[in-house]
Structures are given as C-alpha cells and as structure tokens.
C-alpha cells in the first residue's frame, strides 16, 4: 500500500501558509532547472520565493526537506495519472498511448524534480519511499492493462504483476535518459515505450 504523504497542501481550505509553501516549492523547482540541486542553497530558494532565510526555515528545516516536499507534490500528480490508467475502460491500445503521453507530459513539466528524485532516492529514504511507492502504483496500473489484454494475473515471471514492474522501471529510465539534456527525444522515447508495452501485451495475450 502506497504511503499517503502528509501535507497541509492537501487540506480542503487553502491557508496563507499553504500559499507561501507553494511559492517556496515553485521557486525551488525553477532553481532546479537553472542551477541544479547540488548548487542551489537555502538562501537561493528563499530569495527566489521573496522570503528571508529565517522565514523559509519556518516552513522547511533544510534544502533537502524542500526537495522532499517538491517530490511529494510531483508524485501525487503521477499517482493520479496511474489511477486513471487502471480504471480506464477504452480500448487497451488507446489506454497505453494516453497513459504514456500523460506521463511524458509530466516529465516535460517536472523533469528536473523527477530526475532529482531518481538521483537522490538511493541516499534520501523519504524520497526513495515516495518514488518507489509511486512506481508500485504505476506498475499496478500497467498490470491491470496487461490483464485486460489477456496476460495471466499470477505472480510468475511472465505474469501481469512482474511484467508491470519491469515495464514501469523501463519507462522511468527511458524518460529519465530522454530528458537529461533536452525534451527533444521524449516523443521518440514515448513511442518506443509504447511499442515495447504493446509487444509485451500482445505476446502475453498470445501465450
């Protein structure tokens, strides 16, 4: 079961603090693009958000905490896309295409955050929990689509669950590599992942 990351940003009523946190996270995401995580500082984030360094510490204890919250915000959008894929009722080929296109759109919009999550998940447990938990949700959604196409639902290497996890991590790595220098290759990466997913799906249903 995926952990639900606690945050005041998810409260029904948006308070002043929520808006301030959003400004901080937006500033940090911009700095990830222009400077990268290693080079940006708490002072940089505070200045970009229009705050003093001391005021930022009221909301976040460190630069790492800012990034964790930024990753949490981004993976929430990823999980929503995954949930849509697992409950979609259209033709499976269209579900595959739509799911990959929506995922690619998130990589275009939030690529620096998502690459930072990949890069830091091995050393920051909170980010690893968020990223891996989201991957599990995405893998389950892929498995659901595979099962609709006739792939066996068991736990074997060729069954939907195992294939869903393999496809999930293939898509993550492919999109990660495609966006490292620019987004120009993301369309091709999306089509490649679609081809692989459909091939696995067709092979599984044939078996």
């Amino acid at each position: 079961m995926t952990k639900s990351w606690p945050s005041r940003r998810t409260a029904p009523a948006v308070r002043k603090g929520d808006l301030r946190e959003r400004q901080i996270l937006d500033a940090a995401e911009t700095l990830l693009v222009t400077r990268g995580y290693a080079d940006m500082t708490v002072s940089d984030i505070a200045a970009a958000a229009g705050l003093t360094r001391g005021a930022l510490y009221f909301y976040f204890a460190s630069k790492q905490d800012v990034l964790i919250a930024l990753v949490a915000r981004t993976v929430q959008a990823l999980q929503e896309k995954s949930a849509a894929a697992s409950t979609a009722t259209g033709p499976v080929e269209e579900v595959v295409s739509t799911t990959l296109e929506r995922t690619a759109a998130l990589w275009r919009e939030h690529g620096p955050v998502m690459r930072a999550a990949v890069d830091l998940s091995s050393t920051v447990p909170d980010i690893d929990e968020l990223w891996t938990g989201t991957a599990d949700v995405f893998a389950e959604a892929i498995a659901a689509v595979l099962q609709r196409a006739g792939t066996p639902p068991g736990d074997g290497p060729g069954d939907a669950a195992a294939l869903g996890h393999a496809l999930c991590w293939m898509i993550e790595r492919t999109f990660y590599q495609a966006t490292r220098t620019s987004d120009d290759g993301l369309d091709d990466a999306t089509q490649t992942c679609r081809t692989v997913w459909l091939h696995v799906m067709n092979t599984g249903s044939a078996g």
Side-chain angles (χ1 to χ4, degrees):
M1 182 176 180
T2 303
K3 175 180 178 181
S4 177
W5 191 259
S7 171
R8 285 179 292 170
R9 289 183 296 280
T10 61
V14 178
R15 297 188 293 260
K16 182 178 179 180
D18 298 309
L19 295 174
R20 188 70 75 189
E21 287 181 20
R22 191 179 306 162
Q23 290 176 337
I24 294 169
L25 297 182
D26 289 344
E29 185 161 7
T30 299
L31 287 169
L32 279 176
V33 177
T34 59
R35 297 195 182 185
Y37 179 73
D39 292 333
M40 74 181 189
T41 65
V42 169
S43 295
D44 293 333
I45 299 170
L51 300 172
T52 65
R53 182 186 175 102
L56 185 144
Y57 281 128
F58 177 78
Y59 300 97
F60 299 101
S62 65
K63 178 178 76 170
Q64 181 173 291
D65 281 352
V66 174
L67 184 64
I68 291 169
L70 190 53
V71 171
R73 183 174 74 171
T74 305
V75 300
Q76 181 178 0
L78 273 171
Q79 291 188 16
E80 289 170 357
K81 303 300 183 187
S82 299
S86 63
T87 58
T89 58
V92 288
E93 293 83 359
E94 292 181 11
V95 173
V96 170
S97 297
T98 300
T99 300
L100 288 171
E101 288 165 4
R102 289 174 176 172
T103 304
L106 285 173
W107 277 90
R108 283 192 180 91
E109 186 177 0
H110 303 293
V113 178
M114 295 164 79
R115 287 192 301 274
V118 174
D119 292 338
L120 295 172
S121 60
S122 62
T123 56
V124 182
D126 285 337
I127 291 179
D128 180 59
E129 184 175 359
L130 284 164
W131 193 250
T132 303
T134 301
D136 287 342
V137 173
F138 193 39
E140 290 171 5
I142 295 173
V145 177
L146 291 172
Q147 288 183 55
R148 282 189 59 201
T151 304
D155 297 325
D159 293 336
L163 293 173
H165 275 88
L167 284 169
C168 170
W169 292 110
M170 178 208 69
I171 293 165
E172 182 236 45
R173 182 54 50 175
T174 301
F175 284 3
Y176 174 95
Q177 289 296 123
T179 59
R180 283 187 68 184
T181 56
S182 71
D183 291 340
D184 294 341
L186 197 52
D187 287 338
D188 288 342
T190 302
Q191 290 305 313
T192 298
C193 289
R194 179 182 183 276
T195 299
V196 174
W197 188 343
L198 291 178
H199 178 73
V200 169
M201 189 169 64
N202 293 333
T203 301
S205 61

